[in-house]
Amino acid sequence: MAVPTAKSKRQRKIILVDVSVVPEQRASWSGKLGFVLAAAGSAVGLGTIWRFPYLAAHYGGGTFIFVFFLFMLTLGVALLVLEIALGRNTGKSIIMAFASFGKQYRFVGMLTAAVPFIIASYYGVVGGWVTRYMFAYAAGMTKELADGGDNFGAFISDGPQSVAFMLLFGAITFIIVALGVNGGVERANLIMMPALILVSLLIGIFTLTQPGALDGLRYFLVPDFSKFSLELLIAALGQTFFGLSLGAATMVTYGSYMKKDVSVTSSALQTTGTTLGISLLAGLMIIPATFATLGSANAVAKNSGPSLMFLVIPEVFEKFGRIATGIGFVFFLLVMFAALTSMISLVEACVSILQDTLAWKRRQALLVTVVVLSSAGIIVTLGYSSLSFIQPLGEGSTILDFLDFMTSSVMMPLGGLLMCLFFGWRKKPAVLIDEVRLSGEFKRAGLWGVMIKYVAPILLVAIFITSVLKTFGIISF
Ligand code: TRP
């Protein structure tokens, strides 16, 4: 054996040093199921279980559902394919994904890169409320929660208590993300998503067997096209975006972890299908039971604002008597799972943006994300107590309302629009079509191109303009 010379020793050293600066290798989902569960986990969240049923109740049930399905299966799937293909093609999160088409395009991703940070700041707050309800049911506070809103009001205006629950919800998310893409994110979805589907089926069947529920079911499902309106159209479009986590960097990041042999089109379809299925189940859990309790469609529509979940649902459950506490606990556990899997996707998107853009290590990116999101979350939470004088959207509005408006109505449609214009007109859809074809057929590529070039931009400009005008009271409908 040759005695190592000074030179070879030095070479060895150099190699060792080199190894230590090699960037961390990009993780990937273990297979298609891993991707679809994670993507569906991101999509199915408070938007699906809380927002969708109250929007459906508000806009006349079946008519809204019909339009929503139409948007999800056309625009929704098309944009999902775009985001996944963009992520997989570049192997990067949003800013660097655009930068890989030329440095000058970085800015296209910048606007969208801010979205997961902002959404996560307020999403965690509502996640904290859900966590608190779950614990309150576990402690048997069934009667107190059904007191028409006093308990809820007292809770959200109690700064320290609501901050504590927000941080608890955040901490669970951060721990899962810290465990990595496979060991944390993928595994958590593998456990929580099937549990969520099973439990929502069980609760759905149970509430449908309650007296009076069938009238509610009819109201929920049968379309009445006289209820059709421009406002309904905008709401359904907004729900498609929020519900599928589009225009927010999340699906690009999840796509960047997808292996080249997993089909983009069928993954996008399965993700959308799962989201639609759980949206319907959530509606079945909530609307017929609420209908049976409140007695009429009008009463449901009147109570169909955001308060539906935290005020009306506990009242509905209380009527179930002895099993009320159990049902309440299981229901809020399920909502918490849904919220967690979405929050995980938001945090993962933040981490991968910092990691890719600033060439940081995952740990460092996570640490900064934790600090930023926790601080922002505290401010949003206190918007209901000591900071309630901040009312950015006018009398009675909160910081949370403002951030929700900025992201859902302004930044997400705008980000989506930029993405469509970029791949429809600047770069031509062929780049992404080729990417999709790497892993299977793309029979509807032509139609997809038309969606990206024409249909999506027109619809997105429409939501953007109308929702901004409406918020500032320039138009009303
Ligand atoms: N889609 C989730 C829900 O319905 C929330 C969500 C997660 C989200 N990631 C997102 C919304 C990105 C918009 C953008 O609750």
Side-chain angles (χ1 to χ4, degrees), residues 41-49 51 115-116 119 122-123 239 241-251 275 338-339 341-343 345-346 408 412:
S42 170
V44 173
L46 295 162
T48 305
I49 298 193
R51 202 163 177 259
V115 175
I119 296 186
Y122 72 81
Y123 206 84
Q239 179 63 13
F241 252 73
F242 196 83
L244 280 179
S245 309
L246 294 170
T250 321
M251 290 300 182
T275 310
T341 51
S342 300
M343 183 73 174
S345 75
L346 289 162
S408 311
M412 285 161 55

Side-chain angles (χ1 to χ4, degrees), residues 138-153:
M141 290 168 61
T142 316
K143 281 223 155 51
E144 291 90 322
L145 295 179
D147 67 357
D150 293 348
N151 186 283
F152 180 65

Side-chain angles (χ1 to χ4, degrees), residues 254-301:
Y254 273 13
S256 74
Y257 302 140
M258 188 195 242
K259 288 189 184 136
K260 295 280 187 194
D261 60 353
V262 172
S263 162
V264 175
T265 43
S266 82
S267 303
L269 278 170
Q270 287 174 12
T271 303
T272 311
T274 311
T275 310
L276 282 176
I278 302 185
S279 301
L280 274 186
L281 270 177
L284 290 182
M285 274 192 289
I286 290 172
I287 306 295
T290 315
F291 195 96
T293 309
L294 300 178
S296 74
N298 269 345
V300 177

Side-chain angles (χ1 to χ4, degrees), residues 168-432:
L168 174 63
F169 180 79
I172 302 173
T173 312
F174 298 140
I175 291 172
I176 293 171
V177 174
L179 292 172
V181 173
N182 297 109
V185 180
E186 183 170 339
R187 198 185 309 161
N189 279 295
L190 197 65
I191 298 168
M192 286 194 267
M193 288 306 287
L196 189 149
I197 295 172
L198 186 74
V199 174
S200 39
L201 268 174
L202 292 179
I203 300 187
I205 292 170
F206 172 76
T207 56
L208 277 181
T209 57
Q210 295 303 300
L214 289 183
D215 286 335
L217 184 65
R218 212 167 300 131
Y219 164 74
F220 178 55
L221 291 180
V222 179
D224 165 5
F225 285 104
S226 68
K227 298 259 171 65
F228 189 83
S229 67
L230 180 65
E231 190 184 346
L232 178 150
L233 217 64
I234 304 285
L237 208 52
Q239 179 63 13
T240 301
F241 252 73
F242 196 83
L244 280 179
S245 309
L246 294 170
T250 321
M251 290 300 182
V252 178
T253 293
Y254 273 13
S256 74
Y257 302 140
M258 188 195 242
K259 288 189 184 136
K260 295 280 187 194
D261 60 353
V262 172
S263 162
V264 175
T265 43
S266 82
S267 303
L269 278 170
Q270 287 174 12
T271 303
T272 311
T274 311
T275 310
L276 282 176
I278 302 185
S279 301
L280 274 186
L281 270 177
L284 290 182
M285 274 192 289
I286 290 172
I287 306 295
T290 315
F291 195 96
T293 309
L294 300 178
S296 74
N298 269 345
V300 177
K302 228 189 274 152
N303 282 289
S304 64
S307 63
L308 189 65
M309 186 153 82
F310 297 107
L311 310 189
V312 182
I313 293 288
E315 289 181 37
V316 171
F317 287 166
E318 206 213 2
K319 305 251 162 21
F320 293 161
R322 267 195 301 159
I323 52 166
T325 306
I327 288 261
F329 173 74
V330 176
F331 176 81
F332 279 98
L333 179 70
L334 169 152
V335 181
M336 193 172 113
F337 277 5
L340 263 178
T341 51
S342 300
M343 183 73 174
I344 290 170
S345 75
L346 289 162
V347 173
E348 181 61 42
C350 297
V351 170
S352 76
I353 287 168
L354 292 177
Q355 226 183 325
D356 294 344
T357 315
L358 304 169
W360 283 358
K361 287 225 181 309
R362 189 177 167 91
R363 273 176 138 196
Q364 186 183 3
L366 179 65
L367 199 69
V368 171
T369 304
V370 169
V371 174
V372 170
L373 295 185
S374 305
S375 322
I378 292 176
I379 297 174
V380 179
T381 309
L382 296 180
Y384 290 89
S385 49
S386 45
L387 299 178
S388 62
F389 61 90
I390 305 178
Q391 304 183 347
L393 295 179
E395 194 60 31
S397 69
T398 59
I399 307 176
L400 191 148
D401 298 332
F402 173 69
L403 297 180
D404 183 31
F405 166 75
M406 281 307 290
T407 45
S408 311
S409 303
V410 182
M411 298 170 82
M412 285 161 55
L414 214 56
L417 178 66
L418 281 179
M419 240 186 285
C420 290
L421 293 179
F422 187 80
F423 287 104
W425 299 91
R426 183 88 212 162
K427 275 290 150 196
K428 306 284 177 265
V431 192
L432 298 184

